Amino acid sequence: MRNQTLPQSAEAEAARLLADDARYLWHSWSPSGTAGRGGMVVTGGRGCEVFTVDGRTWLDARAGMFNAALGYGRTDVADAMHAQAQRLATYTLTQAATVPAIELARRIAGLTGQKELSRTFFCHSGSEANETAVKVARQFHALRGDPGRRTILSLADGYHGSTLATAAMSQIPAARAGNEPLPAGFVHAPAPRCPECAARRPHRTCAVPGPEAVEQALLAAGPETVAAIVLEPVLGVAGVWPLPAGYLRRVRELCDEYGVLLVLDEVMTGIGRTGAWFGYQHHGITPDIVTLCKGLGAAYATVSSVTVRQSIYEAFSADPLMGGLRHGVTTGGHATACAGALAVLDAVEREDLVAGAARTGALLLERLAKLRDLPAVHDVRGAGLLLAVEFDTPEQAAQVDTAMNDDGVLARLQGAAVTLAPPLTLSTEQAERIADSLERAALALDARL
Ligand code: PLP
């Protein structure tokens, strides 16, 4: 980390901001009584680095919250948003449209790789997109004369958001506890990982629940009552667990067999993160509905999307009350945000960042895989630029995370895993720096054991 000595006035201003942060700001998913991350006030960024008010520079190996896919300080995206905000900040998409919203919907349709998967609804956050997908699935079945299909089946360790319905889609205690009663109609199948042996090696020999566990949950719920199965191609928040080969293909078959919609939550994995535009493209299947958020706005634009098969869209013309979707949020598909997302997609294409993520991700994984031999390292896994090194205990992972912080590298702690999701623009040298830092920390941990 490069530490800059601050002039006295800047030091006083930094102290004031830290005090006001501690006094006024309520942080998401953070212990009360702390200012940011031990007092982390981010004031700027350039490329893959962010700067904090105390004069420090950090290599952001977690891209904020896995969303700053293009890094920081880009004028191309900022200029596109500025120009749109001056022309027309936004206009409602209720019975009207804007140019950026039309263009972004068309661009996403072109990226799905499937002609049918072509109709997009916009909102702001990943939670909102997944909540919308639930409503679309339930309304769709009712409109086609199958109103008994209400249940949503997802993986127990998945994460789909922080609204009440999306919290109900997960069994992660932090998302659920204290919020009960959560909405009814959500059931879970065990995820394809083994929590019991997550702390014992070698986990590869363990029997992890496969897609047959999804079928069992489907049968237990009564397949005629299930509206949709919702999955992440890589269980991100659970600690970066890519779905095994063949898993999604089998779930697709189950959906077809039982008349259930397949919803892929690509909020974290979409727009190149795994080395493909969409995570499902690694699996040779097409979902019925796909949601996007983080990489779409790339931390510049607040926008998320729900893209559905044209046939699902068409079913909504039968709605008795409206003749269309009864759902919306005032500034969903905000024109300035859509203009930003279009500039993001331009940059991803122009700079060939999807292939870049596959390449740099493979390099990082290869470096990190060498750590598997260390006694405290339980597993190393990843898909593109979404990676995790799992230790035997959360405490060990926390020690590694802290050591990386001391090196000026920001990773993310998820249970016993140190996870990485740097900007897709990460250079080879920066990938080596992240790997060096993690390796150094893991070796130091090993020496203390
Ligand atoms: N779905 C997945 C797979 C996520 O990783 C997240 C956030 O991390 C969400 C949904 C929720 O998105 P948001 O925080 O934008 O509401």
Side-chain angles (χ1 to χ4, degrees), residues 304-334:
S304 63
S305 63
V306 185
T307 302
V308 309
R309 286 184 188 270
Q310 178 66 10
S311 51
I312 295 179
Y313 169 80
E314 281 165 11
F316 280 73
S317 59
D319 178 72
L321 297 176
M322 182 152 287
L325 179 64
R326 278 179 285 109
H327 176 68
V329 280
T330 302
T331 52
H334 193 279

mmCIF file of all heavy atoms in Angstrom, residues 304-334:
data_model
loop_
_atom_site.group_PDB
_atom_site.id
_atom_site.type_symbol
_atom_site.label_atom_id
_atom_site.label_comp_id
_atom_site.label_asym_id
_atom_site.label_seq_id
_atom_site.Cartn_x
_atom_site.Cartn_y
_atom_site.Cartn_z
ATOM 1 N N SER A 304 -30.451 -2.783 -12.833
ATOM 2 C CA SER A 304 -30.477 -4.252 -12.883
ATOM 3 C C SER A 304 -31.519 -4.656 -13.921
ATOM 4 O O SER A 304 -32.336 -3.821 -14.337
ATOM 5 C CB SER A 304 -30.812 -4.839 -11.513
ATOM 6 O OG SER A 304 -32.113 -4.453 -11.104
ATOM 7 N N SER A 305 -31.463 -5.909 -14.322
ATOM 8 C CA SER A 305 -32.361 -6.314 -15.405
ATOM 9 C C SER A 305 -32.912 -7.712 -15.179
ATOM 10 O O SER A 305 -32.294 -8.542 -14.515
ATOM 11 C CB SER A 305 -31.616 -6.262 -16.740
ATOM 12 O OG SER A 305 -30.545 -7.184 -16.732
ATOM 13 N N VAL A 306 -34.088 -7.921 -15.767
ATOM 14 C CA VAL A 306 -34.741 -9.231 -15.756
ATOM 15 C C VAL A 306 -35.091 -9.523 -17.212
ATOM 16 O O VAL A 306 -35.938 -8.848 -17.786
ATOM 17 C CB VAL A 306 -36.042 -9.192 -14.923
ATOM 18 C CG1 VAL A 306 -36.649 -10.587 -14.802
ATOM 19 C CG2 VAL A 306 -35.791 -8.582 -13.559
ATOM 20 N N THR A 307 -34.408 -10.499 -17.796
ATOM 21 C CA THR A 307 -34.652 -10.807 -19.207
ATOM 22 C C THR A 307 -35.392 -12.131 -19.285
ATOM 23 O O THR A 307 -34.981 -13.117 -18.665
ATOM 24 C CB THR A 307 -33.316 -10.868 -19.978
ATOM 25 O OG1 THR A 307 -32.660 -9.610 -19.823
ATOM 26 C CG2 THR A 307 -33.545 -11.146 -21.458
ATOM 27 N N VAL A 308 -36.483 -12.147 -20.033
ATOM 28 C CA VAL A 308 -37.328 -13.348 -20.087
ATOM 29 C C VAL A 308 -37.511 -13.789 -21.536
ATOM 30 O O VAL A 308 -37.306 -13.014 -22.470
ATOM 31 C CB VAL A 308 -38.723 -13.102 -19.445
ATOM 32 C CG1 VAL A 308 -38.587 -12.500 -18.063
ATOM 33 C CG2 VAL A 308 -39.602 -12.212 -20.318
ATOM 34 N N ARG A 309 -37.914 -15.040 -21.677
ATOM 35 C CA ARG A 309 -38.271 -15.538 -23.013
ATOM 36 C C ARG A 309 -39.463 -14.741 -23.545
ATOM 37 O O ARG A 309 -40.376 -14.416 -22.790
ATOM 38 C CB ARG A 309 -38.662 -17.019 -22.930
ATOM 39 C CG ARG A 309 -37.491 -17.945 -22.735
ATOM 40 C CD ARG A 309 -37.989 -19.393 -22.759
ATOM 41 N NE ARG A 309 -36.924 -20.292 -22.392
ATOM 42 C CZ ARG A 309 -36.065 -20.852 -23.259
ATOM 43 N NH1 ARG A 309 -36.164 -20.592 -24.544
ATOM 44 N NH2 ARG A 309 -35.116 -21.666 -22.828
ATOM 45 N N GLN A 310 -39.457 -14.508 -24.826
ATOM 46 C CA GLN A 310 -40.539 -13.767 -25.461
ATOM 47 C C GLN A 310 -41.896 -14.425 -25.168
ATOM 48 O O GLN A 310 -42.893 -13.736 -24.962
ATOM 49 C CB GLN A 310 -40.254 -13.692 -26.977
ATOM 50 C CG GLN A 310 -41.318 -12.990 -27.800
ATOM 51 C CD GLN A 310 -41.430 -11.494 -27.486
ATOM 52 O OE1 GLN A 310 -40.582 -10.934 -26.781
ATOM 53 N NE2 GLN A 310 -42.487 -10.870 -27.977
ATOM 54 N N SER A 311 -41.915 -15.753 -25.096
ATOM 55 C CA SER A 311 -43.184 -16.444 -24.856
ATOM 56 C C SER A 311 -43.733 -16.128 -23.457
ATOM 57 O O SER A 311 -44.949 -16.089 -23.258
ATOM 58 C CB SER A 311 -43.004 -17.953 -25.035
ATOM 59 O OG SER A 311 -41.898 -18.384 -24.272
ATOM 60 N N ILE A 312 -42.839 -15.886 -22.492
ATOM 61 C CA ILE A 312 -43.304 -15.514 -21.145
ATOM 62 C C ILE A 312 -43.938 -14.123 -21.219
ATOM 63 O O ILE A 312 -45.037 -13.880 -20.713
ATOM 64 C CB ILE A 312 -42.127 -15.533 -20.134
ATOM 65 C CG1 ILE A 312 -41.610 -16.963 -19.971
ATOM 66 C CG2 ILE A 312 -42.536 -14.916 -18.801
ATOM 67 C CD1 ILE A 312 -40.428 -17.110 -19.026
ATOM 68 N N TYR A 313 -43.247 -13.219 -21.892
ATOM 69 C CA TYR A 313 -43.762 -11.854 -22.058
ATOM 70 C C TYR A 313 -45.156 -11.889 -22.687
ATOM 71 O O TYR A 313 -46.080 -11.205 -22.230
ATOM 72 C CB TYR A 313 -42.791 -11.056 -22.933
ATOM 73 C CG TYR A 313 -43.333 -9.723 -23.381
ATOM 74 C CD1 TYR A 313 -43.318 -8.624 -22.531
ATOM 75 C CD2 TYR A 313 -43.873 -9.575 -24.656
ATOM 76 C CE1 TYR A 313 -43.826 -7.403 -22.940
ATOM 77 C CE2 TYR A 313 -44.385 -8.358 -25.075
ATOM 78 C CZ TYR A 313 -44.359 -7.274 -24.207
ATOM 79 O OH TYR A 313 -44.866 -6.072 -24.616
ATOM 80 N N GLU A 314 -45.286 -12.701 -23.719
ATOM 81 C CA GLU A 314 -46.558 -12.711 -24.468
ATOM 82 C C GLU A 314 -47.722 -13.201 -23.614
ATOM 83 O O GLU A 314 -48.851 -12.740 -23.781
ATOM 84 C CB GLU A 314 -46.416 -13.540 -25.755
ATOM 85 C CG GLU A 314 -45.704 -12.730 -26.828
ATOM 86 C CD GLU A 314 -45.198 -13.558 -27.999
ATOM 87 O OE1 GLU A 314 -45.571 -14.743 -28.102
ATOM 88 O OE2 GLU A 314 -44.421 -12.995 -28.796
ATOM 89 N N ALA A 315 -47.427 -14.091 -22.658
ATOM 90 C CA ALA A 315 -48.499 -14.605 -21.790
ATOM 91 C C ALA A 315 -49.152 -13.468 -21.000
ATOM 92 O O ALA A 315 -50.327 -13.559 -20.626
ATOM 93 C CB ALA A 315 -47.937 -15.656 -20.843
ATOM 94 N N PHE A 316 -48.428 -12.397 -20.756
ATOM 95 C CA PHE A 316 -48.951 -11.321 -19.912
ATOM 96 C C PHE A 316 -50.031 -10.484 -20.596
ATOM 97 O O PHE A 316 -50.750 -9.733 -19.930
ATOM 98 C CB PHE A 316 -47.800 -10.426 -19.401
ATOM 99 C CG PHE A 316 -47.084 -11.046 -18.234
ATOM 100 C CD1 PHE A 316 -46.235 -12.131 -18.428
ATOM 101 C CD2 PHE A 316 -47.294 -10.590 -16.950
ATOM 102 C CE1 PHE A 316 -45.602 -12.733 -17.350
ATOM 103 C CE2 PHE A 316 -46.665 -11.187 -15.868
ATOM 104 C CZ PHE A 316 -45.817 -12.267 -16.069
ATOM 105 N N SER A 317 -50.161 -10.626 -21.894
ATOM 106 C CA SER A 317 -51.241 -9.867 -22.557
ATOM 107 C C SER A 317 -52.606 -10.404 -22.122
ATOM 108 O O SER A 317 -53.622 -9.742 -22.277
ATOM 109 C CB SER A 317 -51.071 -9.912 -24.078
ATOM 110 O OG SER A 317 -51.092 -11.249 -24.490
ATOM 111 N N ALA A 318 -52.619 -11.611 -21.525
ATOM 112 C CA ALA A 318 -53.889 -12.188 -21.048
ATOM 113 C C ALA A 318 -54.275 -11.669 -19.661
ATOM 114 O O ALA A 318 -55.321 -12.043 -19.124
ATOM 115 C CB ALA A 318 -53.761 -13.713 -21.012
ATOM 116 N N ASP A 319 -53.455 -10.812 -19.062
ATOM 117 C CA ASP A 319 -53.755 -10.345 -17.701
ATOM 118 C C ASP A 319 -55.102 -9.609 -17.678
ATOM 119 O O ASP A 319 -55.294 -8.658 -18.432
ATOM 120 C CB ASP A 319 -52.647 -9.411 -17.207
ATOM 121 C CG ASP A 319 -52.951 -8.882 -15.822
ATOM 122 O OD1 ASP A 319 -52.861 -9.669 -14.872
ATOM 123 O OD2 ASP A 319 -53.320 -7.693 -15.701
ATOM 124 N N PRO A 320 -56.025 -10.049 -16.792
ATOM 125 C CA PRO A 320 -57.368 -9.470 -16.831
ATOM 126 C C PRO A 320 -57.423 -8.022 -16.334
ATOM 127 O O PRO A 320 -58.321 -7.277 -16.698
ATOM 128 C CB PRO A 320 -58.171 -10.389 -15.902
ATOM 129 C CG PRO A 320 -57.150 -11.053 -15.039
ATOM 130 C CD PRO A 320 -55.894 -11.120 -15.808
ATOM 131 N N LEU A 321 -56.473 -7.631 -15.493
ATOM 132 C CA LEU A 321 -56.535 -6.291 -14.912
ATOM 133 C C LEU A 321 -55.812 -5.244 -15.744
ATOM 134 O O LEU A 321 -56.169 -4.073 -15.740
ATOM 135 C CB LEU A 321 -55.925 -6.304 -13.497
ATOM 136 C CG LEU A 321 -56.639 -7.172 -12.469
ATOM 137 C CD1 LEU A 321 -55.888 -7.163 -11.158
ATOM 138 C CD2 LEU A 321 -58.063 -6.658 -12.266
ATOM 139 N N MET A 322 -54.763 -5.666 -16.443
ATOM 140 C CA MET A 322 -53.934 -4.676 -17.112
ATOM 141 C C MET A 322 -53.560 -5.057 -18.531
ATOM 142 O O MET A 322 -53.186 -4.213 -19.333
ATOM 143 C CB MET A 322 -52.661 -4.480 -16.273
ATOM 144 C CG MET A 322 -51.706 -3.444 -16.797
ATOM 145 S SD MET A 322 -50.774 -2.721 -15.486
ATOM 146 C CE MET A 322 -52.010 -1.710 -14.716
ATOM 147 N N GLY A 323 -53.645 -6.343 -18.820
ATOM 148 C CA GLY A 323 -53.208 -6.795 -20.150
ATOM 149 C C GLY A 323 -51.705 -6.737 -20.279
ATOM 150 O O GLY A 323 -51.159 -6.647 -21.384
ATOM 151 N N GLY A 324 -51.017 -6.780 -19.145
ATOM 152 C CA GLY A 324 -49.544 -6.726 -19.158
ATOM 153 C C GLY A 324 -49.022 -6.935 -17.754
ATOM 154 O O GLY A 324 -49.781 -7.308 -16.840
ATOM 155 N N LEU A 325 -47.738 -6.678 -17.554
ATOM 156 C CA LEU A 325 -47.101 -6.906 -16.253
ATOM 157 C C LEU A 325 -47.607 -5.909 -15.215
ATOM 158 O O LEU A 325 -47.545 -4.700 -15.425
ATOM 159 C CB LEU A 325 -45.575 -6.773 -16.411
ATOM 160 C CG LEU A 325 -44.722 -6.953 -15.162
ATOM 161 C CD1 LEU A 325 -44.844 -8.368 -14.610
ATOM 162 C CD2 LEU A 325 -43.263 -6.634 -15.465
ATOM 163 N N ARG A 326 -48.090 -6.451 -14.088
ATOM 164 C CA ARG A 326 -48.507 -5.568 -12.995
ATOM 165 C C ARG A 326 -47.365 -5.457 -12.001
ATOM 166 O O ARG A 326 -47.348 -6.093 -10.962
ATOM 167 C CB ARG A 326 -49.771 -6.122 -12.326
ATOM 168 C CG ARG A 326 -51.034 -5.761 -13.077
ATOM 169 C CD ARG A 326 -52.269 -6.328 -12.421
ATOM 170 N NE ARG A 326 -52.402 -7.759 -12.648
ATOM 171 C CZ ARG A 326 -52.238 -8.699 -11.723
ATOM 172 N NH1 ARG A 326 -51.924 -8.383 -10.482
ATOM 173 N NH2 ARG A 326 -52.371 -9.966 -12.019
ATOM 174 N N HIS A 327 -46.394 -4.676 -12.337
ATOM 175 C CA HIS A 327 -45.209 -4.526 -11.487
ATOM 176 C C HIS A 327 -44.394 -3.367 -12.035
ATOM 177 O O HIS A 327 -44.337 -3.180 -13.253
ATOM 178 C CB HIS A 327 -44.374 -5.816 -11.535
ATOM 179 C CG HIS A 327 -43.087 -5.741 -10.770
ATOM 180 N ND1 HIS A 327 -43.033 -5.652 -9.405
ATOM 181 C CD2 HIS A 327 -41.797 -5.711 -11.192
ATOM 182 C CE1 HIS A 327 -41.759 -5.596 -9.015
ATOM 183 N NE2 HIS A 327 -40.998 -5.627 -10.079
ATOM 184 N N GLY A 328 -43.770 -2.619 -11.163
ATOM 185 C CA GLY A 328 -42.910 -1.544 -11.655
ATOM 186 C C GLY A 328 -42.398 -0.697 -10.509
ATOM 187 O O GLY A 328 -42.929 -0.753 -9.395
ATOM 188 N N VAL A 329 -41.333 0.040 -10.753
ATOM 189 C CA VAL A 329 -40.778 0.977 -9.780
ATOM 190 C C VAL A 329 -40.506 2.279 -10.525
ATOM 191 O O VAL A 329 -40.061 2.260 -11.673
ATOM 192 C CB VAL A 329 -39.497 0.432 -9.112
ATOM 193 C CG1 VAL A 329 -39.834 -0.555 -8.013
ATOM 194 C CG2 VAL A 329 -38.570 -0.242 -10.116
ATOM 195 N N THR A 330 -40.750 3.397 -9.867
ATOM 196 C CA THR A 330 -40.801 4.690 -10.558
ATOM 197 C C THR A 330 -39.593 4.950 -11.447
ATOM 198 O O THR A 330 -39.731 5.319 -12.601
ATOM 199 C CB THR A 330 -40.952 5.824 -9.518
ATOM 200 O OG1 THR A 330 -42.144 5.568 -8.783
ATOM 201 C CG2 THR A 330 -41.060 7.190 -10.193
ATOM 202 N N THR A 331 -38.394 4.753 -10.894
ATOM 203 C CA THR A 331 -37.219 5.104 -11.699
ATOM 204 C C THR A 331 -36.496 3.882 -12.258
ATOM 205 O O THR A 331 -35.336 3.977 -12.668
ATOM 206 C CB THR A 331 -36.229 5.964 -10.882
ATOM 207 O OG1 THR A 331 -35.963 5.285 -9.652
ATOM 208 C CG2 THR A 331 -36.785 7.354 -10.610
ATOM 209 N N GLY A 332 -37.184 2.728 -12.305
ATOM 210 C CA GLY A 332 -36.570 1.531 -12.898
ATOM 211 C C GLY A 332 -36.206 1.802 -14.351
ATOM 212 O O GLY A 332 -36.989 2.401 -15.086
ATOM 213 N N GLY A 333 -35.043 1.352 -14.769
ATOM 214 C CA GLY A 333 -34.595 1.618 -16.139
ATOM 215 C C GLY A 333 -34.276 3.086 -16.341
ATOM 216 O O GLY A 333 -34.469 3.640 -17.428
ATOM 217 N N HIS A 334 -33.756 3.716 -15.276
ATOM 218 C CA HIS A 334 -33.396 5.141 -15.326
ATOM 219 C C HIS A 334 -32.512 5.406 -16.553
ATOM 220 O O HIS A 334 -31.511 4.713 -16.765
ATOM 221 C CB HIS A 334 -32.651 5.478 -14.032
ATOM 222 C CG HIS A 334 -32.491 6.932 -13.798
ATOM 223 N ND1 HIS A 334 -31.514 7.663 -14.413
ATOM 224 C CD2 HIS A 334 -33.196 7.795 -13.019
ATOM 225 C CE1 HIS A 334 -31.610 8.924 -14.012
ATOM 226 N NE2 HIS A 334 -32.627 9.031 -13.177
#
